[in-house]
């Protein structure tokens, strides 16, 4: 609790100095514990604290309580999902579907169940829930049971800690201060990770804010990655030379031990 107040105190001071809002009666002000992650040889994951407060021009309205949703989305890419089937005793790829876009990482934390705090219309508009984030347009024409492929993708990436759904994990104090902790796994992809924060009432989004976390390789990992992608021929030659040297060193070592 002390940590939360220590982090949100600057937000509260900033809110007091902000000019009066001219639009919505409630607006969101947010912050991140860090906006950059460096992937090194000993990187085993990290924790991102996302916190914020609500700026008001009037007392909280009567009726539905305030709700908060926080999402963290990694770089998206198209995918081809294939299903293996046993034919004549051999497992081979059979049916396949193409996913237009699927995030490499996606975490969502909320103050309550989606069915209670988010309307289907706003879910479609802002693409908040995991089924809406995965773009699977037109896959029904590729396979009769195409929804099973999407469910398989979700299951696989959840097992890999790439997708997380944390219902009720956003802490909200007096409908003003909130925080959410998001775990980033060790198998992150490079890129800009988009953090979206929503405040809602009655299932409707009343304000939102976007932040970004830069994830980059650092040190030797970055140098090897850049070399492999920018000069693949040189990278291949160096890899072959290192493999040949390792084989020669192992052989020489065994000959020495036999003497």
């Amino acid at each position: 609790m002390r940590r939360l107040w220590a982090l949100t105190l600057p937000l509260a001071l900033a809110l007091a100095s902000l000019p009066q809002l001219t639009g919505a009666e409630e607006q969101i002000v947010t912050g991140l514990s860090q906006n950059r992650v460096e992937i090194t040889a000993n990187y085993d994951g990290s924790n991102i604290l996302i916190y914020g407060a609500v700026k008001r021009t009037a007392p909280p309205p009567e009726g539905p309580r305030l709700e908060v949703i926080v999402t963290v989305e990694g770089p998206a890419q198209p995918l081809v999902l294939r299903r293996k089937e046993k034919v004549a005793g051999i497992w081979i790829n059979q049916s396949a579907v193409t996913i237009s876009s699927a995030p490499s990482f996606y975490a969502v934390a909320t103050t309550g169940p989606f069915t209670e705090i988010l309307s289907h219309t706003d879910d479609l508009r802002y693409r908040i829930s995991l089924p809406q984030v995965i773009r699977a347009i037109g896959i029904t024409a590729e396979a009769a049971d195409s929804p099973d492929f999407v469910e398989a993708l979700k299951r696989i990436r959840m097992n890999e800690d790439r997708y997380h759904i944390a219902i009720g994990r956003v802490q909200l104090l007096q409908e003003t201060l909130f925080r959410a902790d998001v775990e980033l796994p060790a198998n992150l992809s490079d890129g800009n990770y988009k953090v979206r924060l929503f405040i809602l009432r009655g299932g409707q989004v009343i304000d939102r804010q976007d932040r970004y976390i830069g994830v980059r390789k650092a040190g030797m990992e970055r140098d090897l990655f850049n070399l492999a992608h920018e000069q693949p021929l040189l990278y291949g030659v160096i890899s072959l030379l290192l493999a040949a040297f390792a084989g020669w060193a192992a052989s020489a070592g065994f000959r020495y031990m036999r003497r």
Side-chain angles (χ1 to χ4, degrees):
M1 183 66 69
R2 291 180 179 177
R3 184 185 178 192
L4 174 61
W5 281 105
L7 288 170
T8 53
L9 180 58
L11 281 174
L13 295 176
L15 290 175
S17 63
L18 286 175
Q20 292 297 308
L21 304 174
T22 58
E25 294 183 351
E26 295 179 300
Q27 289 190 346
I28 190 173
V29 182
T30 64
L32 305 174
S33 61
Q34 63 184 93
N35 57 14
R36 183 176 180 180
V37 174
E38 292 187 347
I39 302 177
T40 59
N42 58 354
Y43 177 76
D44 59 355
S46 57
N47 180 280
I48 303 294
L49 173 61
I50 304 169
Y51 56 93
V54 179
K55 167 69 176 178
R56 295 188 175 92
T57 59
E62 298 291 336
R65 66 184 292 257
L66 186 75
E67 305 289 353
V68 180
I69 297 178
V70 176
T71 70
V72 180
E73 181 177 352
Q77 58 188 4
L79 295 173
V80 177
L81 303 179
R82 295 180 174 87
R83 180 169 57 196
K84 290 184 177 294
E85 298 179 5
K86 197 171 185 179
V87 179
I90 302 175
W91 289 96
I92 61 175
N93 291 327
Q94 287 289 89
S95 51
V97 299
T98 302
I99 303 295
S100 306
S101 176
S104 58
F105 174 85
Y106 194 73
V108 54
T110 72
T111 50
F114 278 113
T115 55
E116 298 178 8
I117 69 173
L118 177 65
S119 69
H120 181 64
T121 301
D122 274 19
D123 190 16
L124 290 174
R125 179 181 302 161
Y126 297 103
R127 294 175 54 205
I128 297 175
S129 66
L130 192 52
Q132 300 302 329
V133 172
I134 299 175
R135 302 297 298 273
I137 301 174
I139 65 172
T140 53
E142 299 183 54
D145 53 353
S146 54
D148 294 343
F149 287 79
V150 178
E151 289 299 321
L153 173 63
K154 292 163 53 179
R155 183 177 64 254
I156 291 171
R157 293 206 162 173
M158 282 183 175
N159 292 336
E160 296 174 343
D161 288 334
R162 289 180 176 269
Y163 289 173
H164 299 271
I165 301 176
I167 303 299
R169 294 293 297 275
V170 176
Q171 302 177 29
L172 178 62
L173 302 178
Q174 300 178 351
E175 296 197 2
T176 301
L177 303 177
F178 62 87
R179 64 170 287 173
D181 294 274
V182 176
E183 295 285 344
L184 299 181
N187 56 348
L188 287 178
S189 302
D190 277 19
N192 292 323
Y193 285 59
K194 186 176 183 179
V195 180
R196 298 184 299 164
L197 302 101
F198 303 87
I199 54 176
L200 311 90
R201 285 191 186 275
Q204 306 298 316
V205 174
I206 57 178
D207 194 27
R208 58 169 292 186
Q209 189 173 103
D210 296 345
R211 307 293 292 264
Y212 291 90
I213 301 172
V215 177
R216 299 290 185 271
K217 289 182 173 64
M220 183 178 294
E221 290 75 14
R222 179 192 59 194
D223 297 336
L224 291 175
F225 180 86
N226 291 338
L227 181 62
H229 286 78
E230 296 174 4
Q231 302 184 54
L233 179 59
L234 178 60
Y235 177 80
V237 171
I238 293 176
S239 298
L240 289 175
L241 292 176
L242 288 175
F245 175 78
W248 172 84
S251 177
F254 280 117
R255 288 197 302 269
Y256 178 80
M257 292 174 60
R258 290 177 179 177
R259 292 180 181 177

